[in-house]
Amino acid sequence: MKNKYFNIIPIGGVEEIGSNMTLIRTPDEDILVDCGMLFPYEECFDINYLIPDFSILDSSRLTSIIITHGHEDHIGGLGHLLKEFPDITVYVTNFTHHLIQKKLEEHKITMKYELYNETSHLQFKNVEVFPIHVNHSIPETAGLVIRSNDKKWGALYISDFKVDLFSKHEKPIDLARIEEKLSECAQTAYFIDSTNIMHDGKTTSENELHEDLRALMNREENRVFITLFASNVHRMNIIAKMAKEAGRKIVIMGRSLKTYMEAAYETGHVDLGPDELYMPDQVKGETGKMLIFLSGCQGDFLSALRRFSFGEDGTFKPGPGDLVIFSSKVIPGNEKKIYRIYNKLTEFGAEIITAYDHLIHASGHPGKEDLHILLKNFTPGFYFPIHGESYLLKKHYDFIKTAYPKISSHLIYNYNEIILGEGTVKIEELDAKEPRLIHGKAMEIEKTQISQRRKMATQGAVFISYHRTMGHMEITTVGLPLIAQEWIENLKKKLTEQIKNNLGGREEAYVKDQLKISARQFYNNFLGYKPVTEVHLY
C-alpha cells in the first residue's frame, strides 16, 4: 500500500440497502467495519440471504472487525466471515455481543472479541478509532471517528443514525465527541447514511409516538396485535408498559422478538422482565385483554405475522373485533407481501392500523434537517454518501453539492477505493465482486444453480431415462400442465426412433444432447415454451 495514511473501501452497503461491510486499509493491517446480510432480490429466487464476497480480504493483513450495531444488515454475515478468518478480533458493544453470541452458538462458531463503549479508544497499528454514540432504532449504535496516528487524516463513518435530541430511551448523538476528535485533524471526511435523504425535514423522535400508541393500547378491543421491527426494543418496551397499564397481558409471538427482548433485558436496555411476557401456549384459550406482539413486520413467509394473518396459527386466528397495528414501514420490495396480509386480515374482519393512520412509527435514519444539524456542528473537507441504493446516493450527493458547495462531495459505489492521501482524495475503481448467495443450512449456492432453479420453476422440467442395452425409456414431468401426461407416449416413440435411426453407437454426450434438443422442441410445439430437460443414459 503506497498511501501512508488509510484507504476506505466499501464492499457492501453502497448502491444497496444491506450487506454492509467496509474495509479500512492501512499501511500495516486491514480492519473491517461490519459484515451484514442482504435480503434477496427477486432474481435470486427465494434463497435465504446474500453476503459480501470475501475474496478481497487478505488473511495476512486482516486483524479485526468493528461491529457498529446489531441489525442483520450489519451482523448477518459475521458467522460466515469467522469461518474463513477465525483469528480476527471482533470489537463489539455489550448488547450487540449478546445478539451475535446467540447466533454463533447455534452454528457452533466461536469468536475472539473485545467489548467497547461510547467512550472507548481503539488503537491499531496505523490508525485509532473512537466510537461515537448515535441515535438509531436499536440500542448501542455507534458511528466511528477513524484517525491516522499522526492526525493528518480523520474520517467520520456513520452508516445508520438519526438526530434525536429528546429521546427518553437513550442519550442524544454525541456531536461534541465528533467535533473534539475531528477538529484535531488536518484533513477530514464524512461517510454518511443516505437511507432517508428523500425526507426534507427532521426525522421523528420516538417520544412523538407515545401519545398515539397509548391511545391504541387503551382501546376497547380485547385482542390487540402489533408488529414492528424486532430490533426496536425501546419502542417494544414502552408499548408493553402502556399495554400493562391498560390491563393487558403481554404475549410474544416470534423467535426474533424473544431474542432481542432477552438481549435487551440482559444488558439493561428494557425493564420488562421475562416473567411479565407470555408465550402463546401459555394463553391458549384465554379471552381476556391481551397485547400480542407479532414478528415479521415485512411479511416474511414463515413469520408469526403471516401465519396469523392467513389463519394458520394454532393459538390465534384473526376475526371481527381484533385490532392489528403495523408500527413499522414497508421496506421497498415488500409491498406485495404486506398488501396481501392487509387483504387477508380485512377478509377475516380485523381492523388494521398503519403509520398512515396514526403516528406510530419513526425512522431510524436522517432526514435533511438531521444532516443540517450534523454539519452545523462540524463541517468536513470531503463528503461521501453511503448506506443507500444508487438513486438515494445521488440524491444525497446533490443535496450536499447544493446546500454545502464548499464541501468537496463525491459519489462512490461498492469496490471504489477512497484513498485519503497527502492533502487530497483519490478514488480508484477496483474489480467488483458479486455477493455470495446463501441458502438452506447457511450453505453457499452458485448463481448458475439459481438460474437453473428459476428455469425449472417458470418452465417446468422433463426427465428422460434410457437404458441403452435393454432399449427401455422412462419419461417424467414436473411443473407442466396435466395434459402433458397424454403426450409422453408420443415423445417416447419419437425419441426411440431417433435413437434407432440416427444415434446408435454414438458417444454418450452427443446422444444426450440430441435427445434433449428433440424433447424440448417437442414440448415447445405444444406449450409454446421449452421445459428444462435432463437426459440420463445407463
Side-chain angles (χ1 to χ4, degrees):
M1 175 181 170
K2 295 179 181 180
N3 183 23
K4 66 179 181 180
Y5 303 114
F6 60 93
N7 303 347
I8 291 180
I9 306 169
I11 300 171
V14 181
E15 72 192 75
E16 61 198 357
I17 297 179
S19 198
N20 293 282
M21 187 164 77
T22 300
L23 180 61
I24 304 170
R25 178 156 283 170
T26 76
D28 297 311
E29 67 179 330
D30 289 344
I31 304 157
L32 280 174
V33 178
D34 294 330
C35 183
M37 54 166 274
L38 175 69
F39 290 111
Y41 316 115
E42 288 184 7
E43 59 264 31
C44 289
F45 204 73
D46 203 33
I47 63 165
N48 289 12
Y49 54 90
L50 298 85
I51 60 171
D53 188 290
F54 301 148
S55 61
I56 193 175
L57 305 178
D58 183 345
S59 60
S60 67
R61 289 179 50 84
L62 183 63
T63 61
S64 312
I65 180 170
I66 304 170
I67 302 296
T68 61
H69 63 287
H71 277 146
E72 287 295 322
D73 61 329
H74 292 259
I75 65 172
L78 183 60
H80 296 275
L81 181 76
L82 292 174
K83 284 183 179 179
E84 297 187 30
F85 301 90
D87 296 327
I88 64 172
T89 299
V90 181
Y91 290 86
V92 62
T93 67
N94 191 25
F95 172 72
T96 307
H97 171 253
H98 274 64
L99 293 175
I100 291 172
Q101 197 62 43
K102 291 177 187 292
K103 291 168 63 70
L104 296 183
E105 285 172 358
E106 291 179 17
H107 298 282
K108 297 180 173 56
I109 300 171
T110 59
M111 69 173 176
K112 298 190 299 183
Y113 70 93
E114 289 191 22
L115 295 180
Y116 74 83
N117 59 38
E118 60 199 43
T119 65
S120 296
H121 175 196
L122 311 180
Q123 183 63 61
F124 299 95
K125 293 177 182 178
N126 307 112
V127 298
E128 52 185 352
V129 177
F130 299 91
I132 306 294
H133 167 73
V134 300
N135 308 117
H136 188 36
S137 55
I138 187 172
E140 297 182 16
T141 299
L144 305 174
V145 167
I146 306 153
R147 300 195 317 195
S148 58
N149 286 341
D150 60 6
K151 301 180 185 177
K152 291 292 181 65
W153 265 106
L156 175 66
Y157 177 95
I158 319 181
S159 62
D160 294 72
F161 83 109
K162 67 178 182 180
V163 176
D164 193 343
L165 301 175
F166 307 104
S167 173
K168 295 180 180 178
H169 310 294
E170 59 180 350
K171 294 184 291 185
I173 180 174
D174 196 345
L175 298 173
R177 184 166 161 91
I178 295 173
E179 181 178 13
E180 174 194 350
K181 301 305 178 186
L182 287 182
S183 61
E184 300 174 355
C185 299
Q187 297 285 339
T188 54
Y190 275 9
F191 296 79
I192 302 297
D193 182 1
S194 306
T195 313
N196 204 26
I197 192 63
M198 301 304 292
H199 180 57
D200 288 332
K202 176 80 178 59
T203 300
T204 303
S205 168
E206 282 290 320
N207 293 351
E208 297 176 64
L209 313 183
H210 292 183
E211 182 178 349
D212 282 14
L213 288 170
R214 181 172 283 107
L216 292 171
M217 292 306 106
N218 285 320
R219 286 193 33 163
E220 293 182 355
E221 289 89 348
N222 272 349
R223 302 200 313 183
V224 175
F225 298 85
I226 189 164
T227 186
L228 72 169
F229 292 102
S231 58
N232 204 324
V233 294
H234 288 145
R235 188 185 304 170
M236 191 172 170
N237 187 57
I238 197 69
I239 291 170
K241 291 171 73 173
M242 291 173 178
K244 187 178 178 182
E245 291 169 3
R248 297 186 182 277
K249 186 173 285 189
I250 314 302
V251 183
I252 304 291
M253 280 185 64
R255 183 180 178 185
S256 60
L257 290 171
K258 184 173 182 290
T259 297
Y260 275 95
M261 282 300 282
E262 285 177 349
Y265 182 74
E266 291 165 1
T267 53
H269 288 285
V270 303
D271 50 16
L272 203 69
D275 58 331
E276 300 175 88
L277 305 175
Y278 293 85
M279 296 296 105
D281 59 341
Q282 294 177 287
V283 297
K284 192 168 186 176
E286 292 190 20
T287 57
K289 299 190 77 173
M290 285 183 276
L291 171 69
I292 301 99
F293 284 100
L294 300 169
S295 67
C297 66
Q298 297 305 303
D300 312 290
F301 184 72
L302 297 177
S303 68
L305 171 64
R306 188 189 183 283
R307 192 169 66 246
F308 164 73
S309 301
F310 279 69
E312 298 170 355
D313 183 71
T315 302
F316 297 107
K317 298 189 184 301
D322 288 337
L323 180 65
V324 185
I325 303 168
F326 289 77
S327 179
S328 56
K329 70 172 183 179
V330 181
I331 294 176
N334 291 334
E335 293 89 351
K336 289 183 180 179
K337 290 189 291 185
I338 293 299
Y339 280 105
R340 282 196 72 197
I341 285 173
Y342 290 169
N343 290 332
K344 284 293 183 181
L345 290 170
T346 300
E347 291 164 12
F348 278 113
E351 181 183 352
I352 298 169
I353 298 289
T354 74
Y356 292 105
D357 305 306
H358 293 275
L359 187 59
I360 54 176
H361 176 66
S363 172
H365 302 275
K368 290 174 182 173
E369 188 57 37
D370 299 69
L371 297 176
H372 281 309
I373 294 172
L374 178 67
L375 289 164
K376 181 180 179 181
N377 174 72
F378 183 87
T379 304
F382 299 87
Y383 195 102
F384 303 88
I386 60 168
H387 199 281
E389 295 168 338
S390 300
Y391 174 74
L392 299 177
L393 298 177
K394 180 59 164 58
K395 288 294 184 181
H396 193 169
Y397 167 81
D398 291 342
F399 165 69
I400 296 298
K401 290 285 286 187
T402 301
Y404 300 91
K406 293 184 179 180
I407 298 177
S408 178
S409 55
H410 300 267
L411 196 58
I412 59 171
Y413 300 103
N414 289 334
Y415 291 95
N416 284 179
E417 183 167 13
I418 299 89
I419 302 168
L420 305 180
E422 196 67 54
T424 189
V425 164
K426 183 179 179 182
I427 300 174
E428 294 185 356
E429 293 186 13
L430 306 180
D431 291 335
K433 304 293 184 182
E434 291 287 328
R436 296 163 60 180
L437 312 177
I438 307 299
H439 195 47
K441 293 187 175 182
M443 184 174 294
E444 185 171 2
I445 182 169
E446 295 76 13
K447 199 168 184 178
T448 54
Q449 299 306 106
I450 295 297
S451 177
Q452 184 78 346
R453 289 170 59 176
R454 186 186 306 111
K455 290 177 182 177
M456 291 179 67
T458 57
Q459 299 169 285
V462 178
F463 300 96
I464 301 168
S465 299
Y466 180 68
H467 197 295
R468 303 184 76 174
T469 303
M470 299 178 62
H472 178 71
M473 181 178 291
E474 289 291 336
I475 299 176
T476 57
T477 65
V478 177
L480 298 186
L482 293 178
I483 194 173
Q485 297 293 319
E486 300 176 10
W487 308 331
I488 287 179
E489 290 304 318
N490 287 339
L491 179 60
K492 281 185 181 180
K493 182 178 179 181
K494 174 182 174 66
L495 296 181
T496 302
E497 289 178 356
Q498 183 180 7
I499 294 169
K500 180 179 178 180
N501 296 331
N502 302 311
L503 300 177
R506 301 299 295 266
E507 293 181 358
E508 181 174 317
Y510 180 79
V511 174
K512 291 172 66 174
D513 188 54
Q514 293 302 306
L515 293 179
K516 180 182 293 189
I517 292 171
S518 296
R520 283 167 57 81
Q521 188 59 52
F522 175 87
Y523 280 106
N524 187 53
N525 291 336
F526 288 99
L527 299 170
Y529 60 87
K530 299 176 182 179
V532 172
T533 302
E534 294 293 329
V535 178
H536 301 279
L537 302 181
Y538 55 99

